Amino acid sequence: MTGPSANTPTSITIRRPDDWHLHFRDGETMQAVVRHTARQFARAIVMPNLTPPVTTTALAGAYRDRIMAAVPEGIAFTPLMTAYLTDTSDADDLAQGHRDGVLTAAKLYPAGATTNSDSGVTDIAHIMPVLERMAEIGMPLCVHGEVTESHIDIFDREAEFIERILEPLVARLPDLKVIFEHITTAQAVDFVDRAGANIAATITPQHLHINRNDMLVGGMRPHNYCLPVAKREEHRLVLRKAATSGSAKYFLGTDSAPHHRHDKESACGCAGIFNAPFALESYLAVFEEEGAIEHFESFASNNGPRFYGLPMNEDRVTLERAPVEVPAEIDGGVAEIVPFHAGQTLSWRFCGSA
Ligand code: DOR
Ligand code: ZN
């Protein structure tokens, strides 16, 4: 850190971060968005919820090649692939993909929980043999933690998932590495804090910046709609404390999820917030507001690789204090995408490699 004093730095240099939860899509949209993530991050855990989903090692390998072909020349970026679990996932195929370095993790989408999750798992009992195998070989499980029954209120779905699915799963498979992704509630923070070292969580920038009022007051704001949906202010405040606490159990996962403007501004708008272009600027604002800039590097760059058992990045990136205007829209290939913080001015600027 350099600047007038440790409390008011004018620039910050940290180990290059990784994004531990990301959506790239495919085709033209992917071609347009990969550059934004590759500019800031060395690696990203790539979500497999394409149509059709990335359910096997072979599909993940082919998807990885398409992503690599979209990385701009001169940028070093490594996509870390995940397999989408279904009721009929093949444990041998996943284990082999993990052993061969094609699959970093597998992803549990409860069927119907979110975008392109219809082929997800209908009952966790169906994948218990796969999860047992993953625990045995040390393959991490990424979890979208929401129950899906229609009678459960959407604001309660994460808390219900913890009680009914996650607690029993962790008790049954105490060695399974679980990443509780994009957590949104005080109950999730409490669960993660109490759990063993094999349980961690990612936190998105949007859940640190917005609460449910930002989605619903003064008109519906589809660009602030994502899943799990933003909760009450009291939850946001707990998430901010967790992310900035210095605890090794929390790390950066943007859940950047590009949807074109017309798919968001629609009678049935898609869930997802596209935050990749200004992700680090957005997170750093939170750490500064919380007076915890000294914990930014562990959250962004150290805790993730440590949990996944992957090497740390060696290079460094710098952000400097300077106003950055977030554009109203960004090229999304087939159509434009409205980014998180559109039209706002952020106070840190990403400068790239130190
Ligand atoms: O808001 C979300 N968008 N949450 C998810 O879980 C999926 C994602 C997407 O794929 O668009
Ligand atoms: Zn996601």
Side-chain angles (χ1 to χ4, degrees):
M1 241 181 267
T2 55
S5 83
N7 293 330
T8 56
T10 55
S11 80
I12 168 171
T13 295
I14 59 169
R15 186 185 297 282
R16 179 179 284 277
D18 305 296
D19 184 348
W20 300 96
H21 180 126
L22 176 73
H23 300 267
F24 271 147
R25 313 298 180 213
D26 211 344
E28 266 190 77
T29 305
M30 177 195 70
Q31 304 276 345
V33 302
V34 162
R35 73 194 63 174
H36 297 291
T37 293
R39 190 173 79 95
Q40 298 204 328
F41 299 103
R43 297 169 288 196
I45 287 275
V46 179
M47 288 298 121
N49 62 334
L50 306 183
T51 37
V54 179
T55 49
T56 64
T57 299
L59 287 169
Y63 184 31
R64 181 173 67 178
D65 293 346
R66 297 198 295 282
I67 295 167
M68 288 304 291
V71 175
E73 208 149 316
I75 295 188
F77 174 76
T78 305
L80 304 175
M81 307 311 291
T82 59
Y84 181 118
L85 294 173
T86 70
D87 286 348
T88 58
S89 287
D90 176 356
D92 289 339
D93 176 59
L94 300 189
Q96 171 133 22
H98 185 61
R99 195 169 54 239
D100 294 347
V102 179
L103 294 175
T104 300
K107 169 77 186 229
L108 166 60
Y109 284 109
T114 186
T115 307
N116 297 337
S117 63
D118 293 350
S119 316
V121 174
T122 60
D123 184 334
I124 191 126
H126 294 147
I127 56 163
M128 209 43 81
V130 173
L131 299 179
E132 280 164 5
R133 183 74 165 278
M134 289 172 62
E136 217 176 281
I137 65 175
M139 182 175 187
L141 176 71
C142 299
V143 175
H144 183 111
E146 289 190 286
V147 295
T148 56
E149 292 94 327
S150 57
H151 67 279
I152 310 283
D153 190 281
I154 194 157
F155 292 99
D156 297 335
R157 289 180 176 201
E158 184 173 284
E160 286 264 337
F161 185 89
I162 296 167
E163 264 183 40
R164 283 170 39 204
I165 312 292
L166 212 42
E167 302 252 24
L169 175 65
V170 167
R172 177 161 175 179
L173 297 176
D175 296 329
L176 182 64
K177 271 193 195 182
V178 177
I179 302 97
F180 191 1
E181 304 196 290
H182 44 51
I183 59 169
T184 63
T185 57
Q187 290 92 329
V189 169
D190 181 54
F191 169 77
V192 172
D193 281 344
R194 281 188 293 106
N198 58 318
I199 311 297
T202 57
I203 307 182
T204 75
Q206 55 265 24
H207 293 112
L208 298 171
H209 279 281
I210 64 173
N211 62 30
R212 62 194 200 174
N213 279 13
D214 295 299
M215 188 176 56
L216 295 169
V217 172
M220 268 169 44
R221 318 229 171 226
H223 299 292
N224 282 342
Y225 172 58
C226 63
L227 287 171
V229 72
K231 307 294 191 298
R232 288 176 180 275
E233 177 66 356
E234 66 207 52
H235 294 285
R236 186 182 76 99
L237 297 178
V238 171
L239 294 170
R240 284 169 73 100
K241 289 294 172 222
T244 61
S245 65
S247 164
K249 287 173 156 259
Y250 300 99
F251 42 87
L252 188 159
T254 63
D255 200 13
S256 182
H259 291 280
H260 299 112
R261 179 196 282 279
H262 57 88
D263 291 325
K264 296 282 293 171
E265 299 175 8
S266 144
C268 185
C270 295
I273 295 180
F274 180 52
N275 57 35
F278 299 91
L280 288 177
E281 296 89 328
S282 180
Y283 278 115
L284 184 52
V286 173
F287 279 76
E288 181 172 38
E289 286 157 14
E290 293 292 325
I293 287 187
E294 73 273 20
H295 293 315
F296 183 53
E297 184 173 34
S298 46
F299 177 81
S301 315
N302 298 344
N303 298 347
R306 225 173 251 145
F307 184 83
Y308 272 88
L310 293 170
M312 304 244 184
N313 300 315
E314 287 304 326
D315 49 341
R316 300 281 189 278
V317 297
T318 296
L319 290 105
E320 69 177 20
R321 188 188 295 284
V324 170
E325 283 177 29
V326 178
E329 56 186 41
I330 283 177
D331 172 31
V334 288
E336 75 281 0
I337 302 172
V338 176
F340 189 43
H341 298 298
Q344 295 173 16
T345 302
L346 301 175
S347 53
W348 289 90
R349 190 169 72 85
F350 178 77
C351 311
S353 295

